[in-house]
PDB file of all heavy atoms in Angstrom:
ATOM      1  N   LEU A  11      94.854 -27.839  22.639  1.00  0.00           N
ATOM      2  CA  LEU A  11      94.325 -28.069  23.978  1.00  0.00           C
ATOM      3  C   LEU A  11      93.773 -29.476  24.077  1.00  0.00           C
ATOM      4  O   LEU A  11      92.954 -29.889  23.251  1.00  0.00           O
ATOM      5  CB  LEU A  11      93.216 -27.064  24.297  1.00  0.00           C
ATOM      6  CG  LEU A  11      92.321 -27.376  25.511  1.00  0.00           C
ATOM      7  CD1 LEU A  11      93.133 -27.325  26.804  1.00  0.00           C
ATOM      8  CD2 LEU A  11      91.139 -26.416  25.562  1.00  0.00           C
ATOM      9  N   MET A  12      94.204 -30.213  25.097  1.00  0.00           N
ATOM     10  CA  MET A  12      93.583 -31.481  25.456  1.00  0.00           C
ATOM     11  C   MET A  12      92.895 -31.270  26.798  1.00  0.00           C
ATOM     12  O   MET A  12      93.545 -31.027  27.812  1.00  0.00           O
ATOM     13  CB  MET A  12      94.640 -32.597  25.558  1.00  0.00           C
ATOM     14  CG  MET A  12      94.065 -33.964  25.900  1.00  0.00           C
ATOM     15  SD  MET A  12      95.366 -35.234  26.084  1.00  0.00           S
ATOM     16  CE  MET A  12      95.815 -35.488  24.362  1.00  0.00           C
ATOM     17  N   ALA A  13      91.577 -31.294  26.786  1.00  0.00           N
ATOM     18  CA  ALA A  13      90.782 -31.202  28.012  1.00  0.00           C
ATOM     19  C   ALA A  13      89.869 -32.413  27.993  1.00  0.00           C
ATOM     20  O   ALA A  13      88.929 -32.468  27.204  1.00  0.00           O
ATOM     21  CB  ALA A  13      89.981 -29.911  28.033  1.00  0.00           C
ATOM     22  N   HIS A  30      90.147 -35.996  35.501  1.00  0.00           N
ATOM     23  CA  HIS A  30      90.193 -35.307  34.216  1.00  0.00           C
ATOM     24  C   HIS A  30      91.422 -34.405  34.204  1.00  0.00           C
ATOM     25  O   HIS A  30      92.077 -34.211  35.234  1.00  0.00           O
ATOM     26  CB  HIS A  30      88.918 -34.521  33.926  1.00  0.00           C
ATOM     27  CG  HIS A  30      88.623 -33.402  34.871  1.00  0.00           C
ATOM     28  ND1 HIS A  30      88.053 -33.592  36.108  1.00  0.00           N
ATOM     29  CD2 HIS A  30      88.797 -32.049  34.760  1.00  0.00           C
ATOM     30  CE1 HIS A  30      87.882 -32.437  36.715  1.00  0.00           C
ATOM     31  NE2 HIS A  30      88.345 -31.480  35.926  1.00  0.00           N
ATOM     32  N   LYS A  31      91.747 -33.900  33.033  1.00  0.00           N
ATOM     33  CA  LYS A  31      92.967 -33.092  32.923  1.00  0.00           C
ATOM     34  C   LYS A  31      92.812 -32.023  31.859  1.00  0.00           C
ATOM     35  O   LYS A  31      91.955 -32.095  30.972  1.00  0.00           O
ATOM     36  CB  LYS A  31      94.171 -33.966  32.590  1.00  0.00           C
ATOM     37  CG  LYS A  31      94.237 -34.460  31.150  1.00  0.00           C
ATOM     38  CD  LYS A  31      95.547 -35.204  30.904  1.00  0.00           C
ATOM     39  CE  LYS A  31      95.619 -35.738  29.478  1.00  0.00           C
ATOM     40  NZ  LYS A  31      96.869 -36.494  29.234  1.00  0.00           N
ATOM     41  N   PHE A  32      93.698 -31.024  31.968  1.00  0.00           N
ATOM     42  CA  PHE A  32      93.905 -30.039  30.922  1.00  0.00           C
ATOM     43  C   PHE A  32      95.378 -30.102  30.528  1.00  0.00           C
ATOM     44  O   PHE A  32      96.257 -30.100  31.394  1.00  0.00           O
ATOM     45  CB  PHE A  32      93.566 -28.634  31.420  1.00  0.00           C
ATOM     46  CG  PHE A  32      92.117 -28.446  31.758  1.00  0.00           C
ATOM     47  CD1 PHE A  32      91.671 -28.690  33.049  1.00  0.00           C
ATOM     48  CD2 PHE A  32      91.210 -28.049  30.797  1.00  0.00           C
ATOM     49  CE1 PHE A  32      90.342 -28.531  33.371  1.00  0.00           C
ATOM     50  CE2 PHE A  32      89.872 -27.886  31.110  1.00  0.00           C
ATOM     51  CZ  PHE A  32      89.428 -28.131  32.394  1.00  0.00           C
ATOM     52  N   LEU A  33      95.631 -30.169  29.243  1.00  0.00           N
ATOM     53  CA  LEU A  33      96.992 -30.139  28.723  1.00  0.00           C
ATOM     54  C   LEU A  33      97.026 -29.082  27.627  1.00  0.00           C
ATOM     55  O   LEU A  33      96.336 -29.229  26.610  1.00  0.00           O
ATOM     56  CB  LEU A  33      97.400 -31.507  28.183  1.00  0.00           C
ATOM     57  CG  LEU A  33      98.880 -31.712  27.843  1.00  0.00           C
ATOM     58  CD1 LEU A  33      99.216 -33.204  27.786  1.00  0.00           C
ATOM     59  CD2 LEU A  33      99.267 -31.076  26.513  1.00  0.00           C
ATOM     60  N   ILE A  34      97.795 -28.033  27.861  1.00  0.00           N
ATOM     61  CA  ILE A  34      97.879 -26.925  26.912  1.00  0.00           C
ATOM     62  C   ILE A  34      99.276 -26.934  26.300  1.00  0.00           C
ATOM     63  O   ILE A  34     100.271 -26.738  27.007  1.00  0.00           O
ATOM     64  CB  ILE A  34      97.626 -25.569  27.601  1.00  0.00           C
ATOM     65  CG1 ILE A  34      96.345 -25.625  28.428  1.00  0.00           C
ATOM     66  CG2 ILE A  34      97.557 -24.454  26.570  1.00  0.00           C
ATOM     67  CD1 ILE A  34      96.568 -25.824  29.915  1.00  0.00           C
ATOM     68  N   SER A  50      99.216 -16.023  33.942  1.00  0.00           N
ATOM     69  CA  SER A  50      98.254 -16.993  34.466  1.00  0.00           C
ATOM     70  C   SER A  50      97.633 -17.809  33.342  1.00  0.00           C
ATOM     71  O   SER A  50      97.595 -17.365  32.179  1.00  0.00           O
ATOM     72  CB  SER A  50      97.150 -16.289  35.256  1.00  0.00           C
ATOM     73  OG  SER A  50      96.377 -15.455  34.403  1.00  0.00           O
ATOM     74  N   ILE A  51      97.158 -18.997  33.713  1.00  0.00           N
ATOM     75  CA  ILE A  51      96.391 -19.851  32.803  1.00  0.00           C
ATOM     76  C   ILE A  51      95.156 -20.315  33.559  1.00  0.00           C
ATOM     77  O   ILE A  51      95.264 -20.916  34.637  1.00  0.00           O
ATOM     78  CB  ILE A  51      97.201 -21.068  32.337  1.00  0.00           C
ATOM     79  CG1 ILE A  51      98.495 -20.639  31.625  1.00  0.00           C
ATOM     80  CG2 ILE A  51      96.357 -21.948  31.411  1.00  0.00           C
ATOM     81  CD1 ILE A  51      99.369 -21.800  31.201  1.00  0.00           C
ATOM     82  N   THR A  52      93.989 -20.038  33.013  1.00  0.00           N
ATOM     83  CA  THR A  52      92.732 -20.383  33.664  1.00  0.00           C
ATOM     84  C   THR A  52      91.884 -21.241  32.749  1.00  0.00           C
ATOM     85  O   THR A  52      91.737 -20.936  31.554  1.00  0.00           O
ATOM     86  CB  THR A  52      91.940 -19.105  34.035  1.00  0.00           C
ATOM     87  OG1 THR A  52      92.761 -18.253  34.838  1.00  0.00           O
ATOM     88  CG2 THR A  52      90.679 -19.454  34.809  1.00  0.00           C
ATOM     89  N   ALA A  53      91.340 -22.318  33.306  1.00  0.00           N
ATOM     90  CA  ALA A  53      90.412 -23.189  32.583  1.00  0.00           C
ATOM     91  C   ALA A  53      88.995 -22.897  33.048  1.00  0.00           C
ATOM     92  O   ALA A  53      88.734 -22.798  34.247  1.00  0.00           O
ATOM     93  CB  ALA A  53      90.760 -24.655  32.844  1.00  0.00           C
ATOM     94  N   ARG A  54      88.074 -22.760  32.096  1.00  0.00           N
ATOM     95  CA  ARG A  54      86.673 -22.515  32.409  1.00  0.00           C
ATOM     96  C   ARG A  54      85.805 -23.524  31.662  1.00  0.00           C
ATOM     97  O   ARG A  54      86.145 -23.945  30.553  1.00  0.00           O
ATOM     98  CB  ARG A  54      86.258 -21.093  32.026  1.00  0.00           C
ATOM     99  CG  ARG A  54      87.140 -20.015  32.652  1.00  0.00           C
ATOM    100  CD  ARG A  54      86.640 -18.621  32.331  1.00  0.00           C
ATOM    101  NE  ARG A  54      87.635 -17.605  32.697  1.00  0.00           N
ATOM    102  CZ  ARG A  54      87.800 -17.129  33.922  1.00  0.00           C
ATOM    103  NH1 ARG A  54      87.014 -17.559  34.898  1.00  0.00           N
ATOM    104  NH2 ARG A  54      88.717 -16.219  34.177  1.00  0.00           N
ATOM    105  N   GLY A  55      84.683 -23.912  32.302  1.00  0.00           N
ATOM    106  CA  GLY A  55      83.800 -24.884  31.699  1.00  0.00           C
ATOM    107  C   GLY A  55      82.364 -24.685  32.109  1.00  0.00           C
ATOM    108  O   GLY A  55      81.996 -23.638  32.685  1.00  0.00           O
ATOM    109  N   PRO A  56      81.522 -25.683  31.854  1.00  0.00           N
ATOM    110  CA  PRO A  56      80.085 -25.563  32.142  1.00  0.00           C
ATOM    111  C   PRO A  56      79.802 -25.331  33.626  1.00  0.00           C
ATOM    112  O   PRO A  56      80.575 -25.723  34.497  1.00  0.00           O
ATOM    113  CB  PRO A  56      79.532 -26.924  31.695  1.00  0.00           C
ATOM    114  CG  PRO A  56      80.549 -27.467  30.743  1.00  0.00           C
ATOM    115  CD  PRO A  56      81.873 -26.966  31.230  1.00  0.00           C
ATOM    116  N   GLY A  58      79.837 -22.804  35.628  1.00  0.00           N
ATOM    117  CA  GLY A  58      80.737 -22.000  36.444  1.00  0.00           C
ATOM    118  C   GLY A  58      82.055 -22.659  36.795  1.00  0.00           C
ATOM    119  O   GLY A  58      82.770 -22.189  37.693  1.00  0.00           O
ATOM    120  N   TYR A  59      82.417 -23.712  36.092  1.00  0.00           N
ATOM    121  CA  TYR A  59      83.668 -24.436  36.352  1.00  0.00           C
ATOM    122  C   TYR A  59      84.867 -23.516  36.119  1.00  0.00           C
ATOM    123  O   TYR A  59      84.984 -22.884  35.065  1.00  0.00           O
ATOM    124  CB  TYR A  59      83.740 -25.641  35.418  1.00  0.00           C
ATOM    125  CG  TYR A  59      84.985 -26.488  35.559  1.00  0.00           C
ATOM    126  CD1 TYR A  59      84.954 -27.698  36.219  1.00  0.00           C
ATOM    127  CD2 TYR A  59      86.202 -26.069  35.006  1.00  0.00           C
ATOM    128  CE1 TYR A  59      86.090 -28.488  36.331  1.00  0.00           C
ATOM    129  CE2 TYR A  59      87.338 -26.836  35.127  1.00  0.00           C
ATOM    130  CZ  TYR A  59      87.280 -28.044  35.793  1.00  0.00           C
ATOM    131  OH  TYR A  59      88.418 -28.810  35.906  1.00  0.00           O
ATOM    132  N   VAL A  60      85.778 -23.450  37.102  1.00  0.00           N
ATOM    133  CA  VAL A  60      87.009 -22.671  36.977  1.00  0.00           C
ATOM    134  C   VAL A  60      88.141 -23.422  37.668  1.00  0.00           C
ATOM    135  O   VAL A  60      87.988 -23.881  38.802  1.00  0.00           O
ATOM    136  CB  VAL A  60      86.878 -21.266  37.613  1.00  0.00           C
ATOM    137  CG1 VAL A  60      88.203 -20.503  37.463  1.00  0.00           C
ATOM    138  CG2 VAL A  60      85.748 -20.476  36.987  1.00  0.00           C
ATOM    139  N   VAL A  61      89.282 -23.547  36.985  1.00  0.00           N
ATOM    140  CA  VAL A  61      90.485 -24.147  37.554  1.00  0.00           C
ATOM    141  C   VAL A  61      91.691 -23.333  37.104  1.00  0.00           C
ATOM    142  O   VAL A  61      91.773 -22.935  35.936  1.00  0.00           O
ATOM    143  CB  VAL A  61      90.645 -25.616  37.108  1.00  0.00           C
ATOM    144  CG1 VAL A  61      92.064 -26.123  37.361  1.00  0.00           C
ATOM    145  CG2 VAL A  61      89.646 -26.517  37.831  1.00  0.00           C
ATOM    146  N   GLU A  62      92.619 -23.088  38.013  1.00  0.00           N
ATOM    147  CA  GLU A  62      93.855 -22.393  37.679  1.00  0.00           C
ATOM    148  C   GLU A  62      94.965 -23.409  37.406  1.00  0.00           C
ATOM    149  O   GLU A  62      95.155 -24.346  38.182  1.00  0.00           O
ATOM    150  CB  GLU A  62      94.283 -21.470  38.821  1.00  0.00           C
ATOM    151  CG  GLU A  62      93.296 -20.343  39.121  1.00  0.00           C
ATOM    152  CD  GLU A  62      93.145 -19.370  37.973  1.00  0.00           C
ATOM    153  OE1 GLU A  62      94.130 -19.164  37.227  1.00  0.00           O
ATOM    154  OE2 GLU A  62      92.033 -18.815  37.827  1.00  0.00           O
ATOM    155  N   VAL A  63      95.671 -23.212  36.310  1.00  0.00           N
ATOM    156  CA  VAL A  63      96.825 -24.043  35.979  1.00  0.00           C
ATOM    157  C   VAL A  63      98.069 -23.340  36.516  1.00  0.00           C
ATOM    158  O   VAL A  63      98.308 -22.167  36.202  1.00  0.00           O
ATOM    159  CB  VAL A  63      96.938 -24.264  34.461  1.00  0.00           C
ATOM    160  CG1 VAL A  63      98.101 -25.208  34.138  1.00  0.00           C
ATOM    161  CG2 VAL A  63      95.631 -24.818  33.903  1.00  0.00           C
ATOM    162  N   ALA A  64      98.858 -24.044  37.323  1.00  0.00           N
ATOM    163  CA  ALA A  64      99.976 -23.409  38.023  1.00  0.00           C
ATOM    164  C   ALA A  64     101.153 -23.142  37.095  1.00  0.00           C
ATOM    165  O   ALA A  64     101.464 -23.954  36.214  1.00  0.00           O
ATOM    166  CB  ALA A  64     100.425 -24.289  39.188  1.00  0.00           C
ATOM    167  N   ASN A  74     100.505 -30.470  38.576  1.00  0.00           N
ATOM    168  CA  ASN A  74     100.017 -29.200  38.061  1.00  0.00           C
ATOM    169  C   ASN A  74     101.203 -28.313  37.725  1.00  0.00           C
ATOM    170  O   ASN A  74     101.920 -27.869  38.626  1.00  0.00           O
ATOM    171  CB  ASN A  74      99.116 -28.518  39.104  1.00  0.00           C
ATOM    172  CG  ASN A  74      98.400 -27.290  38.567  1.00  0.00           C
ATOM    173  OD1 ASN A  74      98.615 -26.869  37.444  1.00  0.00           O
ATOM    174  ND2 ASN A  74      97.523 -26.719  39.387  1.00  0.00           N
ATOM    175  N   VAL A  89      97.430 -30.080  34.151  1.00  0.00           N
ATOM    176  CA  VAL A  89      96.906 -30.230  35.499  1.00  0.00           C
ATOM    177  C   VAL A  89      95.997 -31.451  35.509  1.00  0.00           C
ATOM    178  O   VAL A  89      95.120 -31.588  34.662  1.00  0.00           O
ATOM    179  CB  VAL A  89      96.163 -28.969  35.994  1.00  0.00           C
ATOM    180  CG1 VAL A  89      95.050 -28.543  35.037  1.00  0.00           C
ATOM    181  CG2 VAL A  89      95.605 -29.196  37.391  1.00  0.00           C
ATOM    182  N   LEU A  91      93.250 -33.505  37.718  1.00  0.00           N
ATOM    183  CA  LEU A  91      92.276 -33.182  38.763  1.00  0.00           C
ATOM    184  C   LEU A  91      91.531 -34.445  39.169  1.00  0.00           C
ATOM    185  O   LEU A  91      90.841 -35.066  38.353  1.00  0.00           O
ATOM    186  CB  LEU A  91      91.302 -32.120  38.253  1.00  0.00           C
ATOM    187  CG  LEU A  91      92.020 -30.804  37.910  1.00  0.00           C
ATOM    188  CD1 LEU A  91      91.347 -30.096  36.765  1.00  0.00           C
ATOM    189  CD2 LEU A  91      92.081 -29.915  39.138  1.00  0.00           C
ATOM    190  N   MET A  96      84.674 -35.330  33.454  1.00  0.00           N
ATOM    191  CA  MET A  96      84.181 -33.998  33.122  1.00  0.00           C
ATOM    192  C   MET A  96      82.695 -34.025  32.774  1.00  0.00           C
ATOM    193  O   MET A  96      82.185 -35.004  32.217  1.00  0.00           O
ATOM    194  CB  MET A  96      84.953 -33.438  31.916  1.00  0.00           C
ATOM    195  CG  MET A  96      86.446 -33.419  32.056  1.00  0.00           C
ATOM    196  SD  MET A  96      87.268 -32.829  30.566  1.00  0.00           S
ATOM    197  CE  MET A  96      87.384 -31.086  30.945  1.00  0.00           C
ATOM    198  N   GLU A 100      81.545 -27.315  26.594  1.00  0.00           N
ATOM    199  CA  GLU A 100      82.683 -26.535  26.104  1.00  0.00           C
ATOM    200  C   GLU A 100      83.602 -26.126  27.248  1.00  0.00           C
ATOM    201  O   GLU A 100      83.143 -25.642  28.290  1.00  0.00           O
ATOM    202  CB  GLU A 100      82.206 -25.287  25.369  1.00  0.00           C
ATOM    203  CG  GLU A 100      83.354 -24.497  24.736  1.00  0.00           C
ATOM    204  CD  GLU A 100      82.867 -23.309  23.926  1.00  0.00           C
ATOM    205  OE1 GLU A 100      81.968 -22.592  24.420  1.00  0.00           O
ATOM    206  OE2 GLU A 100      83.367 -23.102  22.810  1.00  0.00           O
ATOM    207  N   TYR A 101      84.906 -26.314  27.029  1.00  0.00           N
ATOM    208  CA  TYR A 101      85.936 -25.887  27.979  1.00  0.00           C
ATOM    209  C   TYR A 101      86.892 -24.942  27.265  1.00  0.00           C
ATOM    210  O   TYR A 101      87.283 -25.176  26.119  1.00  0.00           O
ATOM    211  CB  TYR A 101      86.680 -27.097  28.539  1.00  0.00           C
ATOM    212  CG  TYR A 101      85.815 -27.920  29.466  1.00  0.00           C
ATOM    213  CD1 TYR A 101      84.934 -28.867  28.953  1.00  0.00           C
ATOM    214  CD2 TYR A 101      85.857 -27.732  30.846  1.00  0.00           C
ATOM    215  CE1 TYR A 101      84.103 -29.597  29.798  1.00  0.00           C
ATOM    216  CE2 TYR A 101      85.041 -28.462  31.696  1.00  0.00           C
ATOM    217  CZ  TYR A 101      84.171 -29.391  31.159  1.00  0.00           C
ATOM    218  OH  TYR A 101      83.355 -30.102  32.001  1.00  0.00           O
ATOM    219  N   THR A 102      87.256 -23.865  27.956  1.00  0.00           N
ATOM    220  CA  THR A 102      88.098 -22.825  27.378  1.00  0.00           C
ATOM    221  C   THR A 102      89.305 -22.574  28.279  1.00  0.00           C
ATOM    222  O   THR A 102      89.173 -22.522  29.501  1.00  0.00           O
ATOM    223  CB  THR A 102      87.311 -21.512  27.202  1.00  0.00           C
ATOM    224  OG1 THR A 102      86.222 -21.737  26.308  1.00  0.00           O
ATOM    225  CG2 THR A 102      88.204 -20.407  26.647  1.00  0.00           C
ATOM    226  N   ILE A 103      90.446 -22.424  27.658  1.00  0.00           N
ATOM    227  CA  ILE A 103      91.665 -22.018  28.351  1.00  0.00           C
ATOM    228  C   ILE A 103      91.953 -20.558  28.005  1.00  0.00           C
ATOM    229  O   ILE A 103      91.954 -20.174  26.832  1.00  0.00           O
ATOM    230  CB  ILE A 103      92.858 -22.895  27.933  1.00  0.00           C
ATOM    231  CG1 ILE A 103      92.715 -24.305  28.477  1.00  0.00           C
ATOM    232  CG2 ILE A 103      94.180 -22.275  28.381  1.00  0.00           C
ATOM    233  CD1 ILE A 103      92.894 -24.436  29.970  1.00  0.00           C
ATOM    234  N   GLU A 104      92.214 -19.747  29.038  1.00  0.00           N
ATOM    235  CA  GLU A 104      92.578 -18.354  28.855  1.00  0.00           C
ATOM    236  C   GLU A 104      93.987 -18.140  29.406  1.00  0.00           C
ATOM    237  O   GLU A 104      94.242 -18.408  30.583  1.00  0.00           O
ATOM    238  CB  GLU A 104      91.592 -17.452  29.579  1.00  0.00           C
ATOM    239  CG  GLU A 104      91.888 -15.966  29.442  1.00  0.00           C
ATOM    240  CD  GLU A 104      90.903 -15.120  30.229  1.00  0.00           C
ATOM    241  OE1 GLU A 104      91.115 -14.997  31.460  1.00  0.00           O
ATOM    242  OE2 GLU A 104      89.946 -14.612  29.641  1.00  0.00           O
ATOM    243  N   VAL A 105      94.884 -17.683  28.559  1.00  0.00           N
ATOM    244  CA  VAL A 105      96.275 -17.437  28.936  1.00  0.00           C
ATOM    245  C   VAL A 105      96.526 -15.933  28.945  1.00  0.00           C
ATOM    246  O   VAL A 105      96.392 -15.268  27.913  1.00  0.00           O
ATOM    247  CB  VAL A 105      97.252 -18.123  27.954  1.00  0.00           C
ATOM    248  CG1 VAL A 105      98.704 -17.842  28.359  1.00  0.00           C
ATOM    249  CG2 VAL A 105      96.990 -19.619  27.889  1.00  0.00           C
ATOM    250  N   LYS A 106      96.859 -15.396  30.118  1.00  0.00           N
ATOM    251  CA  LYS A 106      97.193 -13.982  30.228  1.00  0.00           C
ATOM    252  C   LYS A 106      98.712 -13.831  30.204  1.00  0.00           C
ATOM    253  O   LYS A 106      99.413 -14.435  31.030  1.00  0.00           O
ATOM    254  CB  LYS A 106      96.622 -13.390  31.516  1.00  0.00           C
ATOM    255  CG  LYS A 106      95.097 -13.340  31.526  1.00  0.00           C
ATOM    256  CD  LYS A 106      94.562 -12.667  32.791  1.00  0.00           C
ATOM    257  CE  LYS A 106      93.046 -12.593  32.760  1.00  0.00           C
ATOM    258  NZ  LYS A 106      92.492 -11.962  33.985  1.00  0.00           N
ATOM    259  N   LYS A 113      95.523 -14.968  25.228  1.00  0.00           N
ATOM    260  CA  LYS A 113      95.332 -16.026  24.240  1.00  0.00           C
ATOM    261  C   LYS A 113      94.289 -17.001  24.782  1.00  0.00           C
ATOM    262  O   LYS A 113      94.220 -17.241  25.997  1.00  0.00           O
ATOM    263  CB  LYS A 113      96.638 -16.784  23.974  1.00  0.00           C
ATOM    264  CG  LYS A 113      97.871 -15.907  23.792  1.00  0.00           C
ATOM    265  CD  LYS A 113      97.864 -15.199  22.458  1.00  0.00           C
ATOM    266  CE  LYS A 113      99.144 -14.369  22.271  1.00  0.00           C
ATOM    267  NZ  LYS A 113      99.240 -13.784  20.931  1.00  0.00           N
ATOM    268  N   ILE A 115      91.776 -20.762  23.802  1.00  0.00           N
ATOM    269  CA  ILE A 115      91.458 -21.898  22.950  1.00  0.00           C
ATOM    270  C   ILE A 115      90.362 -22.693  23.652  1.00  0.00           C
ATOM    271  O   ILE A 115      90.319 -22.743  24.888  1.00  0.00           O
ATOM    272  CB  ILE A 115      92.712 -22.774  22.680  1.00  0.00           C
ATOM    273  CG1 ILE A 115      92.394 -23.863  21.657  1.00  0.00           C
ATOM    274  CG2 ILE A 115      93.269 -23.370  23.967  1.00  0.00           C
ATOM    275  CD1 ILE A 115      93.641 -24.635  21.196  1.00  0.00           C
ATOM    276  N   SER A 116      89.459 -23.299  22.862  1.00  0.00           N
ATOM    277  CA  SER A 116      88.337 -24.042  23.425  1.00  0.00           C
ATOM    278  C   SER A 116      88.192 -25.391  22.730  1.00  0.00           C
ATOM    279  O   SER A 116      88.674 -25.595  21.613  1.00  0.00           O
ATOM    280  CB  SER A 116      87.026 -23.254  23.247  1.00  0.00           C
ATOM    281  OG  SER A 116      87.079 -22.011  23.877  1.00  0.00           O
TER     282      SER A 116
END
Side-chain angles (χ1 to χ4, degrees):
L11 165 66
M12 181 183 286
H30 63 280
K31 75 174 179 182
F32 295 91
L33 191 161
I34 310 100
S50 65
I51 302 177
T52 305
R54 305 184 192 278
Y59 180 103
V60 179
V61 164
E62 297 296 329
V63 184
N74 189 355
V89 55
L91 298 148
M96 306 177 92
E100 185 176 44
Y101 290 83
T102 299
I103 290 289
E104 180 182 81
V105 179
K106 293 183 178 179
K113 315 287 182 174
I115 187 172
S116 300

